[in-house]
Amino acid sequence: MGGLLPRLPRPGVVTAAAAADRVVVLGIRHHGPGSARSVLAALDELRPSIVLVEGPADAGPLLEWAHSDDMQPPVALFAHAVDRPGHAVFWPFAVFSPEWQAIRWAAEHAVPLRFCDLPAWSVLAGSGVRHVAADARPNASPAARVPDGGDAEGSGAGASGTSGPARRVPVGDAEASGAGASGPARPAERHRPDVSTGSAEASDPNIGAAPDEEIVVADDSRGDPIALLAGAAGYDDPERWWDDVVESRTGGLAAFDALTEAMAELRTVVPPDSPREAAREERREAHMRQAIRTALKDTDGVIAVVCGAWHAPALAGRLPPASADIATLRGLRRRKVALSWVPWTHSRLAGSSGYGAGVTSPGFYHHLFTAPDHPAERWLTAVAGALRGHDMPVSTAHVIEATRLADTLAGLRGRPSPGLLEVRDATLAVLCDADPVAAGFVTSELEVGELLGRVPDDAPAVPLAADLTVTARSLRLKIDPQEKIVDLDLRKPQDRAKSALLHRLLLLGIRWGTPTEPSRQSTGTFGETWSLRWDPELAVAVAEAAGWGSTVPTAAAAKVADTARTSTDLASLTQLCEQVLLADIAEVLPEVLQELDRRATHDTDVGHLLQAVPALVRAVRYGDVRGTATDGLGELARQLVARAIAGFPSAISGLGDTSAVTMRDRLDSWHAAVDLLVRTGRGEPERESWFRMLAEQLDRTDVHGLLAGRIARVLIDRGVVPADEAARRLAARLSVGPTASDKARWIEGFLSGTGLLLVHDRDLLRVLDGWLTALDPLDFLEVLPLLRRTFGEFAAAERENIGAVLADLDSEVRHDAGELPDIGRAAAALRTVALILGGGR
């Protein structure tokens, strides 16, 4: 075995009878407050000499930090492959998790504690199959899974199981601590899900399947096994049955014995999903039994085993021969892993989040565990406080009435006490006046919540994560799961340092912050606005980025240097220059500029030049804002402008509709960039040469109408072509051309973006109106979509002003033609309208 298993006893050393007498198995629902209370009551009654908890066996050294007062759930054990940090597994714990309460009980009573499930090195080594479980509630849809045949490296069972960017799927039981790498929950555990797992690729902040894996929905004709027990008890809702029978119980060993017996019956009638799943479960349970045998050797007292209820029948009673379990575990693959504690959140435990462990209302479960006396009354009081926070008039009388209604509903439904369904109904009916929007505040803020756990500073962590934590704390950036908008003034050193940190994290693929549109408080180019939100799975991105360096600045610089060497796109290189300056890692800028200069020398595509210059010019501007020397960037930008001037005339010949739209958009950003370059004190000669070149393209007939119209508009706006020329050029363009749609494209290019020119130039509007009204019906139908798209881009006030000017033009035409309104003919109609409006005759 080469040391793969910890201290395995020889077969026959521990008798089966000894195990049956000394081992007590406590089958629980992971993240169940009722199960947690029952575990505590059972441990107080048993006073075991050792406690075994379902969890990765090689995470034992991390248990000492679980005893720290600075460790505040929800937290998660985090394991990742050293050679591929994105290949990772999480084991979350909440304060109401039975496993967590068992860990705390062992620490408080100085009782030895061990994890007993397959170690993380086995989970992350994979078993050649990857599964993704569906929502772990009893009434959930069948499990979604990837067909067998994935590889152990990236898509094996050790890989995660959440989702790709297009679809997020909660993860149930797998190969670690009840939920190791990826497998779907065993039948009963779809109701009592094990802890979640996940993996991610470096380029994707979302935890998910590899792009080439197909997720399909399995046909689970068995249905939910827990529903069998609920149906036998006369319940039509398995979730409600579980809450009544398990979560609402007060504890006692008898309840665990009854649950183990029920699960044993279920295991005889509910087969595994596949032979591969059966083999995986056999390995897990074999490892747990071996851990029990080792504990039996090491102690003479009672051994308490806290595990998922589905596994309880396989661990309770007389143990089978050890030789069979050793054979089952022989040949386990191994992978070097690193383990640490990371903060977790309630929302990531919720099945509705798409990356949860099937706990639909972790905030309510937390309340049930921390407020066992009068939970309904205390909960509804908290609900009233949350609603008052949204300016809703909720009084003490409302709370009293809602409590009475919840008690009455529980009695009518035959429940021992009000549960989540009853307090929900009472909240909606009494506290929210049947307003589902108001009730939604309660769901998001209380039932789920965004409680973020905390990990001791001295706990093992990825070096990059430790540096990030220290840096964020020094900059007073709070790591918080709640979204927060932060305005930064780059003239202040503290804000500039915050900006640099967030940009460095973006370069590393750690999307803690997302740039947003500046708020009203921002100060022009000196201001930035960020949306900050910390998701627990960012720990995977941090672990992946740790391969670039042990601190955020060094890791970002190394990642940039590698990206510059491997990039094949001129525009992406110029954007990288911009990002380097934003991240304040100017030491790597010479290397990026060298690669950019080399690439620009060989790239003759004018479209690439047009696309590359804006980012380069923004980098020059950002350098000015931050005080960074950017002379090299400015000179390179001028060179690219000169090359674009030489190649532009041939690049715009014979373009199709799609290419013309792309070129038009690039021209718009290009002109803004060139203007910005001039404002920085560079590029004035190049801008004049550019506009002279554009003027030479005005009368060309081989240029797409969209581009020709845009060129004419740019030259008029810049004063290169006199404004009084606009109407004449429009009239000339509309008088020639093969089709009406070609003319409409020229109009779209000329007018798109703003309609102020039509408001202020009546001659231009008169020419356009005359052409449009003179079209025959078929041509009108052909150009209408193009014109509607063009005018649809105008602001509402601009369209209103254009309509007013058109009305004035129409009045002028009628007056010139002698077509004055006949007041006498209109008098009868006016009298009728006056009567209708109550104005008399």
Side-chain angles (χ1 to χ4, degrees):
M1 296 290 291
L4 292 181
L5 298 176
R7 302 180 59 187
L8 296 182
R10 296 187 306 275
V13 172
V14 178
T15 64
D21 293 339
R22 294 169 49 201
V23 177
V24 179
V25 179
L26 307 178
I28 51 91
R29 177 191 187 186
H30 302 287
H31 312 306
S35 293
R37 285 195 300 268
S38 296
V39 163
L40 289 177
L43 292 175
D44 286 336
E45 182 179 347
L46 288 171
R47 294 290 170 174
S49 58
I50 190 171
V51 177
L52 304 182
V53 175
E54 188 179 310
D58 50 349
L62 297 179
L63 286 173
E64 64 175 283
W65 282 275
H67 309 157
S68 171
D69 292 335
D70 292 331
M71 179 76 85
Q72 296 182 4
V75 293
L77 278 171
F78 172 54
H80 67 271
V82 173
D83 60 335
R84 187 182 175 188
H87 196 59
V89 187
F90 292 101
W91 290 266
F93 299 92
V95 71
F96 50 84
S97 299
E99 302 96 328
W100 183 259
Q101 290 304 318
I103 291 171
R104 297 292 295 181
W105 186 93
E108 293 169 2
H109 294 82
V111 173
L113 174 72
R114 297 174 186 172
F115 283 134
C116 61
D117 206 346
L118 283 174
W121 53 255
S122 172
V123 172
L124 287 170
S127 60
V129 63
R130 177 181 181 182
H131 292 276
V132 182
D135 196 336
R137 291 168 293 177
N139 56 352
S141 60
R145 64 182 181 183
V146 177
D148 293 354
D151 63 70
E153 182 72 16
S155 59
S160 83
T162 46
S163 67
R167 176 182 178 186
R168 300 183 65 81
V169 186
V171 178
D173 190 15
E175 283 198 18
S177 182
S182 61
R186 284 293 302 219
E189 290 175 342
R190 289 187 185 130
H191 179 65
R192 317 164 287 90
D194 288 326
V195 290
S196 304
T197 64
S199 72
E201 296 299 329
S203 60
D204 190 348
N206 293 321
I207 292 178
D212 57 345
E213 293 178 331
E214 179 185 3
I215 296 180
V216 298
V217 178
D219 179 15
D220 188 357
S221 57
R222 299 181 312 241
D224 182 2
I226 289 295
L228 299 176
L229 296 177
Y235 282 71
D236 58 358
D237 183 357
E239 182 75 18
R240 189 161 61 90
W241 175 83
W242 184 272
D243 284 341
D244 288 352
V245 176
V246 180
E247 296 305 327
S248 299
R249 70 190 183 197
T250 58
L253 291 173
F256 286 111
D257 293 339
L259 188 59
T260 299
E261 182 179 353
M263 291 300 159
E265 291 297 322
L266 282 177
R267 287 170 68 105
T268 63
V269 298
V270 180
D273 284 341
S274 67
R276 183 166 297 197
E277 181 191 340
R280 181 175 60 250
E281 292 301 308
E282 288 175 8
R283 286 193 297 273
R284 292 187 61 202
E285 292 171 354
H287 194 280
M288 294 182 197
R289 287 191 292 266
Q290 288 291 68
I292 292 173
R293 293 186 181 99
T294 301
L296 286 168
K297 278 188 58 180
D298 294 344
T299 181
D300 295 329
V302 174
I303 299 169
V305 181
V306 180
C307 66
W310 179 263
H311 304 296
L315 308 180
R318 299 172 66 91
L319 293 175
S323 57
D325 289 338
I326 293 175
T328 299
L329 295 170
R330 186 174 291 117
L332 284 180
R333 286 182 286 182
R334 187 173 189 132
R335 192 170 193 174
K336 188 175 182 180
V337 302
L339 293 105
S340 60
W341 288 103
V342 296
W344 207 250
T345 67
H346 275 176
S347 65
R348 308 315 289 169
L349 287 170
S352 60
S353 71
Y355 181 67
V359 182
T360 57
S361 304
F364 184 73
Y365 277 13
H366 180 89
H367 171 79
L368 286 182
F369 185 77
T370 56
D373 58 320
H374 305 290
E377 293 88 335
R378 293 176 181 269
W379 176 259
L380 291 169
T381 301
V383 169
L387 294 175
R388 291 189 192 110
H390 290 278
D391 298 326
M392 294 189 63
V394 180
S395 65
T396 303
H398 284 93
V399 177
I400 295 173
E401 189 61 31
T403 302
R404 289 173 177 170
L405 178 57
D407 288 336
T408 302
L409 290 173
L412 292 173
R413 294 166 179 172
R415 307 195 68 173
S417 61
L420 179 59
L421 181 60
E422 284 69 39
V423 294
R424 273 180 179 171
D425 291 343
T427 297
L428 180 62
V430 179
L431 302 183
C432 298
D433 290 331
D435 182 1
V437 175
F441 298 145
V442 177
T443 300
S444 61
E445 296 179 16
L446 294 182
E447 288 187 18
V448 176
E450 278 291 1
L451 181 64
L452 177 68
R454 191 174 69 189
V455 173
D457 293 339
D458 60 345
V462 177
L464 182 65
D467 179 69
L468 172 57
T469 301
V470 172
T471 304
R473 186 176 299 143
S474 67
L475 295 175
R476 298 182 179 179
L477 284 174
K478 184 179 180 181
I479 295 178
D480 196 320
Q482 295 282 4
E483 184 177 14
K484 182 180 180 181
I485 302 299
V486 177
D487 290 311
L488 302 179
D489 186 344
L490 301 180
R491 295 169 294 187
K492 300 177 180 178
Q494 182 87 342
D495 283 5
R496 192 160 59 246
K498 291 178 182 179
S499 171
L501 173 64
L502 295 172
H503 281 291
R504 289 167 185 169
L505 294 177
L506 286 180
L507 284 169
L508 292 170
I510 305 170
R511 299 192 66 84
W512 176 19
T514 303
T516 63
E517 291 295 326
S519 66
R520 294 180 180 178
Q521 289 78 22
S522 75
T523 52
T525 58
F526 291 97
E528 283 184 352
T529 300
W530 291 81
S531 172
L532 302 184
R533 177 174 179 171
W534 184 267
D535 288 327
E537 62 263 30
L538 287 176
V540 177
V542 173
E544 284 193 306
W548 297 106
S550 57
T551 66
V552 176
T554 58
K559 177 71 177 297
V560 166
D562 181 77
T563 303
R565 287 190 295 269
T566 58
S567 178
T568 60
D569 186 353
L570 182 62
S572 65
L573 274 174
T574 58
Q575 291 170 4
L576 192 61
C577 290
E578 179 183 8
Q579 293 165 348
V580 164
L581 293 176
L582 290 170
D584 195 17
I585 46 176
E587 63 272 14
V588 78
L589 185 59
E591 186 173 349
V592 179
L593 282 176
Q594 182 179 357
E595 291 294 328
L596 178 59
D597 185 59
R598 182 180 63 83
R599 192 66 46 77
T601 302
H602 296 90
D603 196 331
T604 59
D605 191 314
V606 173
H608 292 169
L609 297 175
L610 295 178
Q611 190 177 8
V613 166
L616 199 58
V617 173
R618 287 196 302 269
V620 175
R621 191 274 304 269
Y622 287 132
D624 291 342
V625 172
R626 289 166 170 77
T628 308
T630 56
D631 294 337
L633 286 175
E635 183 58 33
L636 182 57
R638 293 179 60 187
Q639 293 176 14
L640 295 182
V641 171
R643 293 180 56 199
I645 292 172
F648 185 79
S650 60
I652 61 174
S653 177
L655 296 180
D657 290 345
T658 303
S659 300
V661 171
T662 302
M663 186 65 77
R664 187 270 311 268
D665 294 340
R666 289 178 178 175
L667 272 181
D668 289 343
S669 59
W670 165 275
H671 287 123
V674 172
D675 289 341
L676 181 60
L677 183 63
V678 172
R679 288 200 294 273
T680 63
R682 308 172 178 89
E684 180 64 39
E686 286 77 14
R687 183 173 70 166
E688 293 180 0
S689 299
W690 169 260
F691 285 125
R692 282 198 302 269
M693 181 273 297
L694 282 186
E696 296 171 0
Q697 318 305 315
L698 271 176
D699 297 321
R700 288 177 56 176
T701 58
D702 61 336
V703 178
H704 192 282
L706 187 70
L707 277 179
R710 177 57 78 193
I711 291 172
R713 177 62 181 272
V714 167
L715 293 175
I716 291 173
D717 288 345
R718 297 304 195 281
V720 178
V721 173
D724 55 10
E725 283 281 306
R728 186 187 67 80
R729 288 195 170 274
L730 177 61
R733 189 73 187 193
L734 296 180
S735 64
V736 297
T739 64
S741 60
D742 289 335
K743 299 173 183 177
R745 289 188 181 93
W746 192 94
I747 294 171
E748 181 182 4
F750 187 75
L751 296 177
S752 61
T754 177
L756 290 178
L757 190 60
L758 292 176
V759 175
H760 298 296
D761 192 334
R762 293 196 168 206
D763 291 336
L764 185 67
L765 185 58
R766 186 180 290 108
V767 171
L768 179 61
D769 183 53
W771 170 75
L772 186 61
T773 55
L775 287 174
D776 63 62
L778 292 180
D779 286 341
F780 180 79
L781 292 176
E782 184 179 359
V783 304
L784 182 60
L786 297 173
L787 293 176
R788 183 172 184 177
R789 181 173 62 193
T790 301
F791 281 80
E793 296 178 357
F794 299 163
E798 292 177 346
R799 294 197 299 268
E800 187 174 333
N801 286 334
I802 291 172
V805 174
L806 281 173
D808 289 343
L809 290 177
D810 184 63
S811 298
E812 292 174 5
V813 171
R814 291 178 177 274
H815 185 274
D816 293 341
E819 297 181 4
L820 298 177
D822 188 340
I823 302 300
R825 295 177 60 187
L830 291 174
R831 286 195 297 271
T832 303
V833 171
L835 286 172
I836 294 174
L837 298 178
R841 292 185 177 273

